[in-house]
Amino acid sequence: MPLMKTRLTELFGIEHPIIAAPMALISGGKLAAAVTSAGGLGLIGGGYGDSVWLEREFGLADGARVGCGFITWSLARRPELLDETLERQPATVMLSFGELQPFADRIHAAGIPLVAQVQTLDHARQALDAGAQIVVAQGGEAGGHGMTVRSTFTLVPDVVDLAAERAPETDRKSTRLNSSHITI
């Protein structure tokens, strides 16, 4: 199977343009390490985690290059979890469902790429304002977690257009759509 060369594979030094979703308390260290081992990038779902859980899951990743994702409103209650994660120098940190600041500044200061999951065009604007290198558009088909969200089919083109306005180097042709998310 030929390898795909995309901006995503180049940014993370991965073989395949695949990032495993950091599903809170479901995507653990073993799963993240397996995705990374297979040529993608695995993310640990730190969403509602705590220090003990994160330490265990990063340990189960057994030194594999993985990232971590957080639900921002939950992280605001336990901001030390971000510091603990940043000390591990993850491949990326993904933030979802809430205010990205002040977390984005801390992630940037650590030199780690920021991924932001968005459910609306306004969220996409906020993510770009916060300096997210990757925007993941989550439509209603992905289980919008109680939010009123648009269909992925209609949300994606608007997010792509917004990203292209803000970052002219955005390649509209290279965006990849699956059933519930798009990575720009």
Side-chain angles (χ1 to χ4, degrees):
M1 177 183 296
L3 299 179
M4 293 180 69
K5 181 179 176 184
T6 68
R7 289 176 36 190
L8 184 68
T9 61
E10 290 175 352
L11 176 65
F12 292 115
I14 55 180
E15 295 177 53
H16 310 292
I18 296 172
I19 298 179
M23 297 173 287
L25 302 177
I26 301 298
S27 299
K30 285 186 178 184
L31 176 60
V35 172
T36 295
S37 176
L41 179 61
L43 299 184
I44 293 172
Y48 306 108
D50 59 24
S51 295
V52 173
W53 189 89
L54 276 175
E55 182 177 347
R56 181 186 74 224
E57 296 307 320
F58 271 102
L60 290 171
D62 199 28
R65 187 169 174 264
V66 299
C68 190
F70 291 99
I71 296 170
T72 54
W73 58 261
S74 181
L75 185 60
R77 296 179 190 162
R78 303 278 317 273
E80 70 277 6
L81 296 177
L82 180 60
D83 297 325
E84 293 171 19
T85 299
L86 295 176
E87 288 174 11
R88 299 176 190 290
Q89 287 293 296
T92 189
V93 171
M94 182 174 183
L95 300 178
S96 305
F97 303 115
E99 189 64 40
L100 301 180
Q101 292 297 351
F103 308 118
D105 292 338
R106 291 167 46 201
I107 294 165
H108 293 309
I112 295 170
L114 170 61
V115 176
Q117 182 181 35
V118 304
Q119 295 76 32
T120 67
L121 199 53
D122 188 50
H123 292 165
R125 283 186 193 93
Q126 293 171 28
L128 294 169
D129 289 346
Q133 285 93 333
I134 296 174
V135 174
V136 177
Q138 179 191 35
E141 304 86 354
H145 298 273
M147 298 179 69
T148 302
V149 295
R150 293 168 54 182
S151 148
T152 303
F153 190 74
T154 62
L155 177 61
V156 168
D158 287 345
V159 172
V160 170
D161 288 345
L162 175 65
E165 286 173 19
R166 298 277 187 98
E169 69 278 4
T170 299
D171 181 358
R172 295 175 190 204
K173 295 177 196 165
S174 70
T175 55
R176 303 287 182 239
L177 176 65
N178 71 27
S179 65
S180 60
H181 296 77
I182 185 157
T183 302
I184 300 171

